Every structure is written in C-alpha cells, then in structure tokens.
Amino acid sequence: MDNPNVSGQDDQTARLVTLAQNGDHTAFHRLADRYQPGIFRMMYYRTRSRMDAEDLTQDVFLRAYKQIGRIESPALFRSWLYRIAVNRVKDFYRRQRIKSLVGWVSMDEEGFRESEEMVVAPDAEERLDRRDFWNRVEGLLERLSKKEREAFLLRFFDQLSIQEMTTAMGKNESTVKTHLYRALNKIKAAMAETPDKDDFWESI
Amino acid sequence: MNDRFEERHLSEDEFTQAIVERDSLPDGLNAHLVRCPSCAERLARFESRLAGMGRMARSSAPSPARPFRLPQTDPKEPLWQRKSILAMGISAMVLLAVVVWRPAWFTAPRSAPAVAFDAAADRRLMEDIDAIVDNALPEAYQQVAFFDTPDFSDSISDGQDVFDWIVPSIDEEDDDFLS
C-alpha cells in the first residue's frame, strides 16, 4: 500500500528541504510542485469543494514555508506537510461550525458541491458516477469516529504509510493502528450491509 | 503454536489485522495465508476494494488550478523596521496620553507669586460672576429696567436716548414718512 515513489524521492526531497531551509525559493517551489497535487486532493476529499481545497492548499504551503526551518529531519517533510494539512482541515471545520452557529454559512452544501462537480466532470454520466461514489464513501465514513475517519483517509485515500501517519496525526504507532483497525472493521461491516453488497466496491 | 494457526482459516479480526499490518500477524497465520487460497483470495479481495476506493477518489478529484508560488514580497518585514514602527506607535500613544489627560507628574511646579496672581484673578472672576447673578442686565439697561427705584424720573431722563431708540416717538416716525 505504501507509495513506492516516496522512498525513491526521499533523498531528493531531503536535499530540496535543506536548500529551502537556507532560503532557496526555487527549491521550495520544486517541493510545492511535487506535493501540491497530493495535498490538494487530500483537501478535496475532506471538503468536497474545489475552492476550499485551493485556499487550504495555498495556506498549507505558506505555513510550510514559514516553518520549514523547524524541520529537524528533512526526510520527514512529506508527513510533516500532511500534519500541517490535517491541522488546517480541523481549523476549517471548526470555523465552519462557528459560522453555521451564527448563521453565516449552511453546513448543507450539497447544491454548491453539485455546481462544482459540473466543472470537475462536465459529462453527465461521469458526474452521476462520481456523485454516487462520493455518496457511498460518505455513507461509509459517517460510521467512523473523527480519528478513525482520519486514519482511514490518510491510509487508503492519501496513501500514507503507518510511519507517516504517526507524524501526520501526532499519535504513536500503536494508537494509529488501533484507529485504523477499528475503522476497517466498521467499513467492512458497512460494506456487507449495503443492498448491492460487494457489487459496487468490486466494480470500481 | 504456529502449527495451530496454520490449521485454521483467518478470523474477521485477523483479516483486518492483516490489512493494517501484515507483519504483525503471527508467523503461523502468515504461513496459512500463503498456503490457503481461500483466505488469500478473501484478503486480496478486501485489499483490492480498498485500493479501488482510493483510486476512484483520486480520479474523481480535480487538479489544482495553479501551481503554488510564494508571494513576491517577503511577508516578513526586517526586524529593525518592525521595531521602529513599534517605537513610533508607543511614542504616539504616550504623547496622546500627555495631551489628553495631563498627568499631575507632567505639570511643572509653579512659583508662589504666580499662584497668588492666579488666585486674585480667580477672585475677580468670581466677583464678576456674582454681580451678573445679582443683576444680569448690562449697566446701560439697568436704570431703564428699575422702574421702582426712588429716582425714577432722573433715571428716565438720563436714559432718554436709549428709551428713544427702543420706542421711537410718533413725530419722528411721521417725519420719516413725510420725507
């Protein structure tokens, strides 16, 4: 499940991180080029909004740039970046909750998501497939606690290793495995409960 | 112990454990997974579903609209610049406080003659105020207003010009009209 490219890129990443720590903007831009798509997708999985994902991704890299001097082990850059991203998502939802409490935004953004999906997948059939997929994913994720959901998404959607997850979640290995274990048991049970059972998940 | 594991199929929990981390399974179960096509197939199927879910999510997600680039200007101002702005701000606040509140410690001590002079000026001012309180009319109007004074006739003659100005005589009005 681990991304095979990650270990191959570790040395180069570490070299770029060291350069960026010494104020090399070009090196930081190369790091951003390498990790931006992954961080952007991570944000999109969690917000299901392209605009929010764009803003949050920009923010993650700005923060990373400001704090890059703090990384003691440049090889851990990727997991450190995901840690910033995980924290930004938490902040985002905290603010959304506050805004929804005072009535500034609605937490039900289905209409907005649909309009964004028009841009992502202009073809109607494809759009329906994607919507169906995300509805099913959301149905599964709803059964998980926050920690379990984060562990599941980091492992199977963002493809982080257990080791990387410990940095990204700020938990020790045993705790991360426990969250993942519980998440998988619930996902397995939920998949078995769905009317078409395995058909959908087999077909993807 | 390992033989016991090798003899039976994996439980649901053991499948989950294998997905979380295959190496954490006892050696006997790992050996069973290698030998048992049924368990290996079950495990591969669940792993493939999870991998498919991740694949589908990646293909359903859009790409970032633009690459990340740092802002042209460094958001961090030089330290000396930040310090000077802070110093100017503090100075402005202190100046404002002195101008608005004039704290006692800021006022310079004054000499005894100056204090006495101010006291005399204050007294004169209070006398003037008392006089106005007793009689608010200016001196020129006072005799016009005091009809009950004993020397009314004299006062009216002294103030005739004023009286004529307030109530002009009919003759004068007629003269003006004729001319």
Side-chain angles (χ1 to χ4, degrees):
Chain A
M1 188 60 67
D2 294 354
N3 190 339
N5 295 327
V6 172
S7 55
Q9 292 177 347
D10 273 357
D11 290 344
Q12 203 180 355
T13 297
R15 196 170 53 80
L16 289 171
V17 170
T18 310
L19 288 171
Q21 282 178 325
N22 292 322
D24 186 338
H25 283 201
T26 311
F28 189 81
H29 286 152
R30 287 183 66 189
L31 284 169
D33 291 344
R34 179 172 293 180
Y35 294 108
Q36 188 186 11
I39 295 291
F40 175 80
R41 279 197 300 269
M42 179 206 171
M43 293 303 185
Y44 183 78
Y45 299 153
R46 286 152 180 83
T47 62
R48 296 286 317 288
S49 156
R50 186 183 189 141
M51 283 197 300
D52 288 336
E54 292 274 9
D55 291 346
L56 289 168
T57 305
Q58 291 285 319
D59 194 36
V60 166
F61 280 98
L62 267 179
R63 280 168 193 243
Y65 173 71
K66 285 178 185 169
Q67 297 174 9
I68 198 162
R70 294 187 192 174
I71 304 181
E72 289 176 7
S73 175
L76 292 178
F77 178 75
R78 182 175 186 244
S79 40
W80 176 77
L81 202 57
Y82 274 89
R83 169 126 196 202
I84 296 176
V86 166
N87 287 332
R88 283 301 295 123
V89 173
K90 280 184 197 165
D91 287 346
F92 173 79
Y93 277 112
R94 199 175 299 133
R95 283 179 194 171
Q96 290 291 101
R97 270 200 302 276
I98 293 168
K99 283 180 186 173
S100 73
L101 278 177
V102 294
W104 286 352
V105 293
S106 164
M107 291 297 273
D108 178 22
E109 295 178 329
E110 200 54 44
F112 176 67
R113 284 180 182 178
E114 283 178 16
S115 66
E116 283 209 328
E117 280 168 6
M118 292 280 285
V119 180
V120 179
D123 178 53
E125 195 180 348
E126 195 183 346
R127 206 162 58 235
L128 273 175
D129 286 348
R130 288 181 184 197
R131 198 179 302 165
D132 186 30
F133 168 75
W134 283 113
N135 284 342
R136 284 170 189 268
V137 168
E138 278 176 15
L140 294 178
L141 296 179
E142 270 172 12
R143 298 168 181 246
L144 312 182
S145 71
K146 282 181 190 170
K147 295 276 164 52
E148 290 163 1
R149 194 182 311 153
E150 197 52 64
F152 181 80
L153 287 172
L154 283 172
R155 182 74 173 137
F156 298 104
F157 282 51
D158 304 313
Q159 296 191 299
L160 264 62
S161 67
I162 298 279
Q163 207 59 45
E164 287 175 317
M165 286 170 67
T166 60
T167 309
M169 294 179 74
K171 308 276 179 200
N172 63 40
E173 193 174 321
S174 157
T175 309
V176 167
K177 282 180 188 172
T178 305
H179 289 315
L180 197 54
Y181 179 85
R182 288 180 184 157
L184 282 170
N185 269 342
K186 289 181 184 176
I187 293 279
K188 209 159 43 171
M191 278 179 169
E193 279 174 23
T194 48
D196 52 358
K197 283 202 171 176
D198 302 339
D199 294 350
F200 178 80
W201 302 111
E202 291 290 348
S203 67
I204 58 174
Chain B
M1 176 113 170
N2 281 343
D3 291 344
R4 187 168 55 83
F5 281 129
E6 283 184 49
E7 285 166 13
R8 63 170 180 81
H9 294 299
L10 270 70
S11 68
E12 285 298 320
D13 285 349
E14 286 161 349
F15 270 114
T16 309
Q17 197 182 336
I19 292 166
V20 172
E21 196 176 37
R22 183 80 171 261
D23 294 342
S24 66
L25 283 180
D27 292 341
L29 283 180
N30 264 320
H32 177 82
L33 271 174
V34 174
R35 282 193 305 105
C36 175
S38 165
C39 285
E41 197 264 330
R42 272 183 68 195
L43 181 64
R45 210 170 65 181
F46 191 47
E47 280 182 334
S48 136
R49 270 189 236 155
L50 293 170
M53 208 186 284
R55 229 178 7 253
M56 182 74 178
R58 279 191 294 285
S59 68
S60 308
S63 300
R66 58 189 184 281
F68 172 82
R69 289 294 172 264
L70 290 165
Q72 289 295 317
T73 51
D74 193 334
K76 281 186 182 172
E77 291 168 349
L79 191 62
W80 65 266
Q81 202 174 335
R82 275 183 285 169
K83 276 187 175 173
S84 61
I85 289 170
L86 187 69
M88 279 194 288
I90 291 171
S91 309
M93 284 175 69
V94 169
L95 192 66
L96 189 71
V98 166
V99 168
V100 174
W101 290 297
R102 288 183 174 273
W105 52 263
F106 183 75
T107 316
R110 307 180 66 219
S111 62
V115 173
F117 179 80
D118 283 352
D122 289 348
R123 264 197 308 277
R124 277 197 302 278
L125 179 66
M126 286 312 296
E127 284 165 8
D128 289 346
I129 291 170
D130 287 343
I132 290 170
V133 169
D134 290 344
N135 190 351
L137 280 175
E139 199 176 347
Y141 295 93
Q142 281 177 12
Q143 293 181 356
V144 178
F146 291 162
F147 294 108
D148 57 345
T149 51
D151 51 350
F152 170 68
S153 56
D154 295 339
S155 302
I156 201 85
S157 60
D158 291 344
Q160 192 61 49
D161 291 342
V162 178
F163 195 79
D164 288 344
W165 179 74
I166 295 170
V167 187
S169 71
I170 295 170
D171 295 341
E172 282 174 11
E173 278 185 4
D174 287 344
D175 290 346
D176 289 343
F177 177 74
L178 290 171
S179 64

